[in-house]
Amino acid sequence: MDFLSIILDILLSAAFWTAVLRIATPYVLGTLGELVCERAGVLNLGIEGIMTLGAMAGWMAVYQGADLWTGVLVAAACGALLGLLHAALTVPLGLSQHVTGIGVTLLGTSLSYFVYRLVLPQASTPPTIVPFQPLDLPGAFAQTPLTYLALALVGVVAYALYRTPVGLAVRMVGEHPAAAEAQGLNVTAIRIGAVMAGSALMGLAGAFLTLSAFNAFFFNMVNGRGWICIALVVFASWRPGKALLGALLFALFDALQLRLQQASGGVLPYQLFLMMPYLLSILALVLVARRASYPRALMIPYRKGER
Amino acid sequence: MSSPTTGGPEVVLRLAGISKRFGPLLANDAISLTLRAGEVLALLGENGAGKTTLMNILFGHYVADEGTIEAFGRPLPPGSPRAALAAGIGMVHQHFTLADNLSVLDNIAVGTESLWRLRSDRGGARRRLLDLSQRFGLAVRPDALVGDLSVGERQRVEILKALYRDARILILDEPTAVLTPQESAGLFDTLRRLTADGLAVVFISHKMNEVFAASDTVAVLRAGRLVATHPTASTDRAKLAELMVGRSVKPPAPAPLSPGEPVLELAGVTVASGHARPLLDAVDLTVRRHQVIGVAGVSGNGQSALAELVSGLIRPDAGQVSLKGSVVHHADPADMVRRGVARIPEDRHSAGLVGAMAVWENLIAERYRDPAFSRFGVLRRDAARAHARRVIEEFDVRCPGPDARTQLLSGGNMQKLILGRTLAYGPDLILASQPTRGLDIGAVSYVHSRLLDARAAGAGVLLISEDLDEILALADCVTVAYHGRLTPLLPHDRVSVSQLGLLMAGHWDILRDILPETPRENGNAA
């Protein structure tokens, strides 16, 4: 009874839903980015490193005097560049997407720390910037512009994938590259383009952390969010709308566990609550993903003239 | 159909001196061809003769080392499917290039619009598709997922895909390989409607009857060279076969033998294993000594399950399997080999041989625990190599030696290796699944003669094949697989190809005409 009323109190507070949307934002962007890559047939395990680089580069640009939106663009461009590296190795050269992706993550992460230390060798407490401020809207709608951008991008990506020729081409090269080529499409170019676009979204996801959620760059601040996005893509059956749903669900669990930690007053070890969103995600994944139909050519390199 | 004459319709396609080399192999050797509007050209040749390579060059999948292509009087840039499409050339590949998870309309429309349009014109695409579909009598459902379509429907989608792009030259690579005889006849009707509209068609085939059913002109390729081009009407089967192979070919002639005692009996065997529809549904079948039983059918009607059952890979959920009169309980593959079953698997690359291992290792793969080949858990490599040398000699396997890696062998030599592995031990039952798929005529006749030798020596042969000519040439009795069920055995001389085609499509009512009031040997009713 007591427990239920605590939950009810939490669910009825506007601050809780504000937090859910805020927590969900990087997952929405990252999952969309991964989804675009995978729809074109390329698994991008570089997401964790790309998000880290986006977080660092966006923040660094603003710290060096650029305005916030320029920082956002810098983060997206850096993401696209790492995406180009991943695509160059996995698409024309056909290297293992797993190994390359892990390499990109290691590179993106260490490059970010390296550049940060290079520019700020002495900083003991992380310097701060003035981040995006929440819009002056009531209740849970008081979000920063990047959250609204993420929500808008769900619609944009869904429209692009299902209603435009280029989206159909992306889905085709992820399903059956030989068929796409027989229809006169350039499989290599489309895959590279999709990976770059998806990686730019991952860069945005990182930038949200340093330009919106916080005001500084910390080491290890992406903290596995990229890996969660990989699972959310499967949960979403590679569909943008369901990706939003999955991200919101995960964020809801996360926001809930934070508040339950406080409400439990130290009776239970806080690690139990930390585990909750991950456990529930695994459960959701098991229930949903068994029926998922993945892009048929996912993780299969395409070489012209071979079948 | 119009027949081309010197002053006839315009030449739409001209290949001049096309050569293509893959390493040491000369796949195309200075091939020149012309094609006229309204003409159906059959490109006939054995596997490996270079037919598909030539068409892949034409469509831009490969770049020729030498030679030029002209379409509608203009040179075609090499190596670009996009340029070939733009020039009005459409290709229907042997393995369909369709994405299962996308709709028919998506598969057809992809790549036909500028990629950077902000909105696809799906309404216009749908109207155009339905219009073409009506004009050429190719019924399709635009919104169906390709994965849900039958093979014949998928082929219609492929043809429509080419027509949608205004193809005036249509290349079909082995279009009938996956079709029932009735579906093939429908395809040939379609081709006639297309040529009546002025399209030119090239179809690649290694089946003689199709050449006569559908083509105006036949071009024969052998070992990469164009050996002859004839108007189809002025040639005949024997002549074409000789041109294809380079020597005269005798069809196999099984000597009449009276069947002996049963070696394999299936009684009411059902294999369901979690599928919505059973893979095998209450099947009765008897194979006797000195007998070849042919199992015909479109692939996916239970043949694989039947083969796996007899190999011991799966066990029946109901019914029983008997070998040489004793019931088999808890079968496994090693047990079936010990009981005298010789297996020629459907896919020699994935299930027959281990490509990365040596010839001698593959040859003892079924019997490496036999004391002849191992002692105290240690392989007797010398004995195994000596055995390999004997098999290589006896079965005429062309390979560098027992230590050669198997993947370096040609398909025909791989199949000889598999024959040598199993037939060397005088089996009682031979399970031959698609034993000649992908082999050239020489290797096919070798495999056939070996199977018939084994039959003469007292083995029963269960021949599962999608090639009706092969079944009718070898089998004493035929059964047709449809949706996991088998027809009663039909004597090979009382059933025609068209009747088999109807049975393959599920029209079992005609069984009454084939088997009037005869007692059913297989006892399906029992």
Side-chain angles (χ1 to χ4, degrees), chain B residues 35 40-44 51 55 170-176 187-188 191 201-217 219:
Chain B
L35 183 68
V40 178
L41 172 76
L43 204 54
L44 183 69
K51 307 174 302 256
M55 290 302 112
L170 194 62
I171 307 165
L172 302 160
D173 189 0
E174 306 251 356
T176 59
L187 171 69
F188 295 148
L191 295 189
V201 176
V202 181
F203 85 87
I204 302 175
S205 180
H206 61 239
K207 292 188 191 157
M208 214 70 78
N209 51 355
E210 295 172 12
V211 171
F212 287 97
S215 74
D216 305 305
T217 312

Coordinates of all heavy atoms in Angstrom, one line a residue, chain B residues 35 40-44 51 55 170-176 187-188 191 201-217 219:
Chain B
L35 N 21.0 -9.3 -81.9 CA 19.7 -9.6 -81.5 C 18.8 -8.6 -82.2 O 19.1 -7.4 -82.2 CB 19.6 -9.5 -80.0 CG 18.3 -9.7 -79.3 CD1 17.9 -11.2 -79.4 CD2 18.3 -9.3 -77.8
V40 N 13.3 -14.0 -80.0 CA 13.7 -14.6 -78.7 C 15.0 -15.5 -79.0 O 14.9 -16.4 -79.9 CB 12.6 -15.6 -78.2 CG1 13.1 -16.3 -77.0 CG2 11.4 -14.8 -77.9
L41 N 16.1 -15.1 -78.4 CA 17.3 -15.8 -78.6 C 17.6 -16.7 -77.4 O 17.6 -16.2 -76.3 CB 18.5 -14.8 -78.8 CG 19.9 -15.4 -78.8 CD1 20.2 -16.1 -80.2 CD2 20.9 -14.3 -78.5
A42 N 17.8 -18.0 -77.6 CA 18.1 -18.9 -76.5 C 19.6 -19.0 -76.5 O 20.3 -19.3 -77.6 CB 17.5 -20.2 -76.7
L43 N 20.2 -18.8 -75.3 CA 21.6 -19.0 -75.2 C 21.8 -20.3 -74.5 O 21.5 -20.5 -73.3 CB 22.2 -17.8 -74.3 CG 23.6 -17.4 -74.5 CD1 24.0 -17.2 -75.9 CD2 23.9 -16.2 -73.6
L44 N 22.2 -21.3 -75.2 CA 22.3 -22.7 -74.7 C 23.7 -23.1 -74.4 O 24.6 -22.7 -75.2 CB 21.7 -23.6 -75.8 CG 21.5 -25.1 -75.5 CD1 20.5 -25.3 -74.4 CD2 21.2 -25.8 -76.7
K51 N 27.6 -18.7 -70.3 CA 26.4 -18.0 -70.6 C 26.1 -16.8 -69.6 O 25.9 -15.7 -70.0 CB 25.2 -19.0 -70.5 CG 25.3 -20.2 -71.3 CD 24.2 -21.2 -71.1 CE 24.0 -21.5 -69.6 NZ 24.4 -22.8 -69.2
M55 N 26.1 -12.6 -70.1 CA 25.0 -11.8 -69.8 C 25.3 -10.8 -68.7 O 24.8 -9.7 -68.7 CB 23.7 -12.6 -69.4 CG 23.2 -13.4 -70.6 SD 22.7 -12.3 -72.0 CE 23.9 -12.7 -73.2
L170 N 15.2 -7.9 -72.9 CA 15.0 -8.6 -71.6 C 15.9 -9.8 -71.6 O 15.9 -10.6 -72.5 CB 13.6 -9.0 -71.5 CG 13.1 -9.4 -70.1 CD1 13.2 -8.3 -69.1 CD2 11.6 -9.9 -70.2
I171 N 16.8 -9.9 -70.5 CA 17.6 -11.0 -70.4 C 17.1 -11.9 -69.2 O 16.9 -11.4 -68.1 CB 19.1 -10.6 -70.0 CG1 19.6 -9.6 -71.0 CG2 20.0 -11.8 -69.9 CD1 20.8 -8.9 -70.5
L172 N 16.9 -13.2 -69.5 CA 16.4 -14.1 -68.5 C 17.4 -15.2 -68.2 O 17.7 -15.9 -69.2 CB 15.0 -14.7 -68.9 CG 13.9 -13.8 -69.3 CD1 12.9 -14.5 -70.1 CD2 13.3 -13.3 -68.0
D173 N 17.9 -15.2 -67.0 CA 19.0 -16.2 -66.7 C 18.3 -17.5 -66.1 O 17.8 -17.4 -65.0 CB 20.0 -15.6 -65.7 CG 21.2 -16.5 -65.5 OD1 21.2 -17.6 -66.1 OD2 22.1 -16.1 -64.8
E174 N 18.3 -18.6 -66.8 CA 17.7 -19.8 -66.4 C 16.3 -19.6 -65.8 O 16.1 -20.0 -64.6 CB 18.6 -20.5 -65.4 CG 20.0 -20.7 -65.8 CD 20.4 -22.1 -66.2 OE1 19.5 -23.0 -65.9 OE2 21.5 -22.4 -66.7
P175 N 15.4 -19.0 -66.5 CA 14.1 -18.6 -65.9 C 13.3 -19.7 -65.4 O 12.4 -19.5 -64.6 CB 13.4 -17.8 -67.0 CG 14.0 -18.4 -68.3 CD 15.4 -18.7 -68.0
T176 N 13.4 -20.9 -66.0 CA 12.5 -22.0 -65.6 C 13.1 -22.9 -64.6 O 12.4 -23.9 -64.2 CB 12.2 -22.9 -66.9 OG1 13.4 -23.4 -67.3 CG2 11.5 -22.0 -67.9
L187 N 5.2 -18.7 -68.5 CA 6.3 -17.8 -68.8 C 6.5 -17.7 -70.3 O 6.7 -16.6 -70.8 CB 7.5 -18.3 -68.2 CG 8.8 -17.5 -68.5 CD1 8.8 -16.1 -68.0 CD2 10.1 -18.3 -68.0
F188 N 6.4 -18.8 -71.0 CA 6.6 -18.7 -72.5 C 5.5 -17.9 -73.2 O 5.7 -17.2 -74.1 CB 6.8 -20.1 -73.1 CG 8.0 -20.8 -72.6 CD1 8.0 -22.2 -72.4 CD2 9.1 -20.1 -72.2 CE1 9.1 -22.9 -71.9 CE2 10.3 -20.8 -71.8 CZ 10.2 -22.1 -71.6
L191 N 6.4 -14.4 -72.7 CA 7.5 -14.0 -73.7 C 6.9 -13.7 -75.0 O 7.3 -12.7 -75.7 CB 8.6 -15.1 -73.8 CG 9.4 -15.4 -72.5 CD1 10.5 -16.3 -72.8 CD2 9.9 -14.1 -71.9
V201 N 14.2 -10.7 -76.5 CA 14.4 -11.5 -75.3 C 15.7 -12.4 -75.5 O 15.8 -13.0 -76.6 CB 13.2 -12.3 -75.0 CG1 13.5 -13.2 -73.8 CG2 12.0 -11.5 -74.7
V202 N 16.5 -12.4 -74.5 CA 17.6 -13.4 -74.5 C 17.3 -14.3 -73.3 O 17.1 -13.8 -72.2 CB 19.0 -12.8 -74.3 CG1 20.1 -13.9 -74.3 CG2 19.3 -11.8 -75.3
F203 N 17.2 -15.6 -73.5 CA 17.1 -16.4 -72.3 C 18.1 -17.5 -72.3 O 18.4 -18.1 -73.3 CB 15.6 -16.9 -72.0 CG 15.2 -18.1 -72.7 CD1 15.4 -19.4 -72.1 CD2 14.5 -18.0 -73.9 CE1 14.9 -20.5 -72.7 CE2 14.0 -19.2 -74.5 CZ 14.3 -20.4 -73.9
I204 N 18.7 -17.7 -71.1 CA 19.8 -18.6 -70.9 C 19.2 -19.9 -70.4 O 18.3 -19.9 -69.6 CB 20.7 -18.0 -69.8 CG1 21.2 -16.6 -70.3 CG2 21.9 -18.9 -69.5 CD1 22.1 -15.9 -69.2
S205 N 19.7 -21.0 -71.0 CA 19.1 -22.2 -70.6 C 20.1 -23.4 -70.8 O 21.0 -23.2 -71.6 CB 17.8 -22.5 -71.4 OG 17.3 -23.8 -71.0
H206 N 20.0 -24.5 -70.1 CA 20.7 -25.6 -70.5 C 19.7 -26.8 -70.8 O 20.1 -27.9 -70.8 CB 21.8 -26.0 -69.5 CG 21.3 -26.4 -68.1 ND1 21.7 -25.7 -67.0 CD2 20.4 -27.3 -67.7 CE1 21.1 -26.2 -66.0 NE2 20.3 -27.2 -66.4
K207 N 18.4 -26.4 -70.9 CA 17.4 -27.4 -71.1 C 16.9 -27.3 -72.6 O 16.4 -26.3 -73.0 CB 16.2 -27.2 -70.2 CG 16.6 -27.5 -68.7 CD 15.3 -27.5 -67.9 CE 15.7 -27.5 -66.4 NZ 14.6 -27.0 -65.6
M208 N 17.1 -28.4 -73.2 CA 16.8 -28.5 -74.7 C 15.3 -28.2 -75.0 O 15.0 -27.4 -75.9 CB 17.1 -29.9 -75.1 CG 17.6 -29.9 -76.5 SD 19.3 -29.2 -76.6 CE 20.2 -30.6 -75.9
N209 N 14.4 -28.7 -74.2 CA 13.0 -28.6 -74.5 C 12.5 -27.2 -74.5 O 11.7 -26.7 -75.3 CB 12.1 -29.5 -73.7 CG 12.4 -29.3 -72.2 OD1 13.3 -28.6 -71.8 ND2 11.6 -30.0 -71.3
E210 N 13.1 -26.4 -73.6 CA 12.7 -25.0 -73.5 C 13.2 -24.2 -74.8 O 12.5 -23.3 -75.2 CB 13.4 -24.3 -72.3 CG 12.9 -24.8 -71.0 CD 13.8 -24.3 -69.9 OE1 14.5 -23.3 -70.2 OE2 13.7 -24.8 -68.8
V211 N 14.3 -24.6 -75.3 CA 14.8 -23.9 -76.5 C 13.8 -24.1 -77.6 O 13.5 -23.1 -78.3 CB 16.2 -24.5 -76.9 CG1 16.6 -24.0 -78.2 CG2 17.2 -24.2 -75.8
F212 N 13.3 -25.3 -77.7 CA 12.3 -25.5 -78.8 C 11.0 -24.9 -78.5 O 10.3 -24.5 -79.4 CB 12.2 -27.0 -79.1 CG 13.5 -27.5 -79.8 CD1 14.5 -28.1 -79.1 CD2 13.6 -27.3 -81.2 CE1 15.6 -28.5 -79.7 CE2 14.8 -27.7 -81.8 CZ 15.8 -28.4 -81.1
A213 N 10.6 -24.8 -77.2 CA 9.3 -24.3 -76.9 C 9.3 -22.8 -77.1 O 8.2 -22.2 -77.3 CB 9.0 -24.6 -75.4
A214 N 10.4 -22.1 -76.9 CA 10.2 -20.6 -76.8 C 11.1 -19.8 -77.7 O 10.9 -18.6 -77.8 CB 10.5 -20.2 -75.4
S215 N 12.1 -20.4 -78.4 CA 13.1 -19.5 -79.1 C 12.9 -19.4 -80.6 O 12.4 -20.4 -81.2 CB 14.5 -19.8 -78.7 OG 14.9 -21.0 -79.4
D216 N 13.3 -18.3 -81.2 CA 13.4 -18.2 -82.6 C 14.8 -18.6 -83.1 O 15.0 -19.2 -84.1 CB 13.2 -16.7 -83.1 CG 11.9 -16.2 -82.5 OD1 10.8 -16.8 -82.8 OD2 11.9 -15.2 -81.8
T217 N 15.8 -18.2 -82.3 CA 17.2 -18.4 -82.7 C 17.9 -19.1 -81.5 O 17.5 -18.8 -80.3 CB 17.9 -17.1 -83.0 OG1 17.1 -16.4 -83.9 CG2 19.2 -17.3 -83.6
A219 N 21.7 -19.9 -79.8 CA 23.2 -19.7 -79.9 C 23.8 -20.7 -78.9 O 23.3 -20.7 -77.7 CB 23.6 -18.3 -79.6

